[in-house]
Amino acid sequence: MRTIFVITVNSHVPEQGQFSPNPSFCMVSKITDGVKVTVLTEYQPDYSNPGQDHYVFTYKILIENHSEHTVKLLRRHWLIYDANGTVREVEGEGIVGLQPTLEPGDVHDYVSGCNLKTDVGKMAGTYLMERVLDGRQFRVVIPAFSLIAPYRLN
């Protein structure tokens, strides 16, 4: 398995305005078996209530098929960590109700979110993918990414 990491903090926003981060965004990318996963996070202050230990974050994921095979995303597996030591596990079919198929060169993106009981946390996970041609299944790593309320960075 070939793996490449790219981490960008406070960088120029990707083209086409696909992401609209606050000034403290963190973007990470990783390539596994020709499938690149990029994650960009954003704190959502309008939906958070720090007085009630409720912090909401959104994350946008971009999945790019740089391999020579058509692949289908079958399942997702997430580990979600709060700063207080709580770990939640989420596992299930597809992503936001879809099991996208990506031809070589195709891109699929989606936005999702999570809530934490602390203003700092992280997420990491994997996608179970399948090569359409021969049914070979493989895991694509979703790089670990931070969830940080921007005031924590000051």
Side-chain angles (χ1 to χ4, degrees):
M1 170 177 16
R2 183 170 165 242
T3 302
I4 300 170
F5 284 100
V6 177
I7 299 175
T8 308
V9 179
N10 292 331
S11 172
H12 174 56
V13 179
E15 60 191 56
Q16 299 178 350
Q18 290 181 333
F19 301 112
S20 58
N22 62 44
S24 61
F25 76 92
C26 182
M27 184 171 66
V28 296
S29 294
K30 184 169 184 169
I31 299 173
T32 308
D33 289 338
V35 178
K36 181 178 181 181
V37 177
T38 301
V39 184
L40 181 76
T41 64
E42 186 173 11
Y43 175 63
Q44 299 296 319
D46 293 342
Y47 298 98
S48 299
N49 185 342
Q52 298 290 319
D53 293 330
H54 183 74
Y55 303 88
V56 178
F57 298 86
T58 55
Y59 52 91
K60 180 163 187 170
I61 299 203
L62 188 68
I63 304 167
E64 302 173 68
N65 184 3
H66 293 283
S67 79
E68 58 189 38
H69 304 283
T70 300
V71 297
K72 181 176 182 176
L73 191 151
L74 302 176
R75 303 187 70 77
R76 72 192 180 291
H77 179 248
W78 288 105
L79 294 173
I80 305 166
Y81 303 86
D82 275 347
N84 63 10
T86 302
V87 179
R88 290 181 287 161
E89 188 171 13
V90 176
E91 200 278 330
E93 281 191 7
I95 49 175
V96 291
L98 301 173
Q99 290 182 311
T101 298
L102 288 86
E103 301 284 337
D106 280 355
V107 176
H108 181 82
D109 67 324
Y110 70 97
V111 176
S112 191
C114 77
N115 59 310
L116 300 178
K117 293 184 180 192
T118 60
D119 56 1
V120 175
K122 74 176 182 177
M123 291 178 64
T126 59
Y127 295 127
L128 178 63
M129 307 285 277
E130 178 179 79
R131 282 194 337 201
V132 173
L133 178 67
D134 59 10
R136 181 177 84 77
Q137 294 184 356
F138 60 101
R139 296 214 179 268
V140 171
V141 176
I142 305 165
F145 55 93
S146 299
L147 303 165
I148 304 172
Y151 60 82
R152 293 285 295 205
L153 299 172
N154 296 328

